[in-house]
Amino acid sequence: MSNNLVTKEAIAMGLKQLMEKWPLSKISVKDITDHCNISRNTFYYHFKDKYELINWIFYSDMQKNVNSFTESERPMDSFVNVCRCLYENRKFYFACFQYIGQNSLYEYLYEFYFDLWENSMNLRYSTCDFVLTKEEIQLIAKLKSHSLIGIISDWIRGGMHADYLKYLEKLEAIIEQEISGYTMMCEKVKRKVC
């Protein structure tokens, strides 16, 4: 493991420990550096601010726990797995999601899901020779991304209870049915062309 990664993980652990005592809004970069016994320069070498640190923690957690994180052909697997990981670390993430604004976890999640859905739509439609403009694909990706982030937001505001995971799994099944509809549509279009 590189020194950079060791330092980043130590800073992340320091933030998590501080968040057990105080809300994120009360924690400054100085608090983090004091707790970790590092200089501010060291912190800023690795992270732009505490929100970038949170996004790095999220991304690291997802890399370790969500094996479908980058599989654009199965975006709902990723969604449910992300929610499971958030639930397993709910105390930390519940506190992180209280901040809404620039560089927030919500913003990071939106960007992630937008890219995932955009890739998924491009893949899906190109395999059946159905052409949508880039603008149309981005509009669909935006709609689906906002929908998923809204569902996560509702879940978080409701306290991130475990019973909601069953709801998310049902949602996954519904979206997968929609996606299988794309596949059937593609097969019909291809048969008509031949």
Side-chain angles (χ1 to χ4, degrees):
M1 190 181 308
S2 73
N3 285 342
N4 257 353
L5 188 56
V6 170
T7 303
K8 283 183 170 187
E9 287 182 352
I11 294 169
M13 184 57 66
L15 175 62
K16 287 180 177 182
Q17 290 168 349
L18 288 170
M19 287 179 68
E20 290 176 9
K21 300 175 192 173
W22 300 298
L24 179 63
S25 62
K26 302 286 184 200
I27 300 171
S28 67
V29 169
K30 182 176 181 350
D31 295 328
I32 298 168
T33 59
D34 288 349
H35 184 79
C36 295
N37 201 26
I38 61 171
S39 70
R40 289 173 62 87
N41 285 343
T42 300
F43 180 90
Y44 288 117
Y45 175 79
H46 296 287
F47 302 104
K48 169 174 69 176
D49 56 26
K50 66 184 177 182
Y51 303 108
E52 184 177 55
L53 168 58
I54 289 168
N55 291 335
W56 181 84
I57 293 169
F58 172 77
Y59 183 77
S60 297
D61 280 351
M62 295 307 112
Q63 292 290 62
K64 291 177 205 165
N65 297 297
V66 181
N67 52 358
S68 62
F69 193 63
T70 57
E71 293 178 15
S72 59
E73 64 276 359
R74 300 204 40 99
M76 287 308 295
D77 284 354
S78 165
F79 177 71
V80 171
N81 289 339
V82 164
C83 291
R84 283 188 185 118
C85 186
L86 292 174
Y87 180 75
E88 288 169 13
N89 300 287
R90 67 189 164 281
K91 187 174 180 181
F92 172 73
Y93 284 115
F94 185 78
C96 292
F97 277 111
Q98 300 312 304
Y99 170 71
I100 300 171
Q102 187 177 6
N103 298 326
S104 69
L105 199 46
Y106 284 110
E107 191 176 278
Y108 185 80
L109 265 175
Y110 171 79
E111 291 169 8
F112 165 71
Y113 278 113
F114 180 85
D115 290 343
L116 189 67
W117 277 108
E118 186 178 34
N119 291 337
S120 179
M121 295 286 100
N122 275 323
L123 179 70
R124 235 169 264 308
Y125 286 115
S126 67
T127 57
C128 67
D129 298 326
F130 191 81
V131 179
L132 289 177
T133 66
K134 182 175 179 152
E135 185 179 89
E136 290 168 329
I137 292 214
Q138 287 178 340
L139 188 59
I140 293 169
K142 188 175 189 178
L143 172 72
K144 292 191 178 279
S145 301
H146 279 297
S147 298
L148 294 179
I149 301 308
I151 289 167
I152 289 174
S153 180
D154 289 348
W155 177 47
I156 291 165
R157 278 196 305 270
M160 295 178 85
H161 298 291
D163 60 345
Y164 207 74
L165 290 174
K166 290 178 187 168
Y167 171 77
L168 297 173
E169 289 167 352
K170 285 180 188 175
L171 180 64
E172 176 186 29
I174 291 168
I175 299 293
E176 289 302 326
Q177 282 292 93
E178 175 191 22
I179 290 170
S180 70
Y182 290 132
T183 305
M184 289 182 357
M185 179 183 72
C186 288
E187 289 170 5
K188 285 180 181 179
V189 167
K190 283 183 178 180
R191 274 187 254 145
K192 284 183 181 179
V193 171
C194 295

